[in-house]
Amino acid sequence: ESMRNLIVNLCAGRPEIQLTALVGDLDEGARLVQTIPPEDYDIIISRGGTAEIIRTVTSIPVVDISLSSYDVLSTIRLVENYPGKSAIVAYPSISKMARLLCSVLQSDLPVYTVDTTQSLHSVIQSLKVQGFSLIIGDAVTTAYAQHCSLDAVLITSGIESLESTLNEALYIYDLLSVQGAKESLLRKITQGGNTYYAILNSKGSFCWENAALKERQKLRQFFKNFITTVSALEN
């Protein structure tokens, strides 16, 4: 919810962005995405494990909210003097950076990587049995840790990280818009008039053809014979 408020405030000053902000972790986030019409949105922005799951249920490009090294470093420094046993539990997008920073800092703070809700629950339950009392991670991780009566510290994405993600989303949108315009123009060119277009493989099978060519069976056969003859000569 706090990150939703941050990104809403950032987009309020950016009229080029039309934002719908929904709150939902992991499977709930994926469920929310499946309720929205795909044609109404160009880009989805999410974070960590939720972003990874959303990619499996939609064809809309998903931009992962980045975590800067400063975001993770700040959290590691925050728990340095914690008296009990602590560990970082996170999805790959966060755990890779955390492991690298711990190595650079020569910190013995253990880092565990999870990729599903089930593995998250299993790891945290195991750590609790081992005597760990503080879990560091994303919103899903810390929520479950607290549910298990453990202390938890959330790794948050700062304003700079959110701004960087918005800029990346706009860049991807611009690329997709240019590509979409090119494809639209190509469709208009190839579907109109009396010009015939086709894509065939080396065996003379049609992979694609425009509507004008579909009605010309003799011409289609000519294309097929031509391609198979050329392919035979090359071999």
Side-chain angles (χ1 to χ4, degrees):
E1 185 67 31
S2 61
M3 186 160 60
R4 188 195 77 86
N5 294 336
L6 274 177
I7 201 166
V8 165
N9 290 335
L10 285 173
C11 289
R14 305 187 68 162
E16 71 275 23
I17 298 175
Q18 294 178 305
L19 177 73
T20 299
L22 305 172
V23 178
D25 292 324
L26 296 179
D27 294 332
E28 173 61 14
R31 187 194 68 77
L32 289 172
V33 166
Q34 290 176 295
T35 65
I36 64 176
E39 63 275 9
D40 288 355
Y41 297 90
D42 301 297
I43 302 286
I44 293 172
I45 293 175
S46 187
R47 196 180 87 149
T50 306
E52 293 178 18
I53 294 176
I54 288 175
R55 287 190 181 98
T56 68
V57 300
T58 182
S59 58
I60 304 174
V62 179
V63 178
D64 199 337
I65 295 175
S66 60
L67 269 176
S68 69
S69 55
Y70 178 77
D71 295 331
V72 181
L73 178 61
S74 297
T75 307
I76 293 174
R77 291 296 192 192
L78 182 66
V79 301
E80 278 183 336
N81 296 321
Y82 181 76
K85 294 176 67 176
S86 57
I88 296 176
V89 180
Y91 284 79
S93 59
I94 297 176
S95 67
K96 289 178 183 178
M97 184 183 299
R99 190 170 285 110
L100 176 61
L101 285 171
C102 286
S103 176
V104 171
L105 295 171
Q106 297 183 329
S107 168
D108 57 0
L109 182 67
V111 179
Y112 296 86
T113 301
V114 296
D115 53 11
T116 64
T117 303
Q118 290 73 20
S119 63
L120 169 66
H121 291 181
S122 176
V123 167
I124 290 180
Q125 290 286 1
S126 175
L127 290 174
K128 183 176 180 179
V129 171
Q130 295 174 51
F132 284 82
S133 55
L134 173 65
I135 302 299
I136 304 148
D138 62 13
V140 181
T141 302
T142 53
Y144 186 70
Q146 290 171 334
H147 174 76
C148 296
S149 302
L150 297 172
D151 293 332
V153 174
L154 176 66
I155 302 175
T156 59
S157 297
I159 291 179
E160 295 81 5
S161 297
L162 291 175
E163 286 181 332
S164 175
T165 303
L166 290 174
N167 291 335
E168 181 183 355
L170 287 173
Y171 175 71
I172 292 174
Y173 170 74
D174 288 341
L175 290 179
L176 293 175
S177 297
V178 171
Q179 184 62 31
K182 289 180 179 178
E183 291 178 357
S184 177
L185 179 59
L186 181 59
R187 282 196 298 270
K188 290 179 181 178
I189 292 173
T190 56
Q191 296 298 330
N194 296 318
T195 305
Y196 308 107
Y197 300 90
I199 299 174
L200 295 86
N201 60 25
S202 59
K203 296 179 180 179
S205 299
F206 283 81
C207 300
W208 175 86
E209 59 188 302
N210 70 340
L213 180 59
K214 289 181 180 180
E215 301 174 0
R216 302 293 299 273
Q217 294 302 316
K218 289 183 178 180
L219 188 55
R220 291 178 82 254
Q221 189 60 48
F222 168 78
F223 278 141
K224 185 171 183 176
N225 293 342
F226 175 77
I227 291 296
T228 53
T229 300
V230 171
S231 179
L233 290 173
E234 289 179 343
N235 295 329

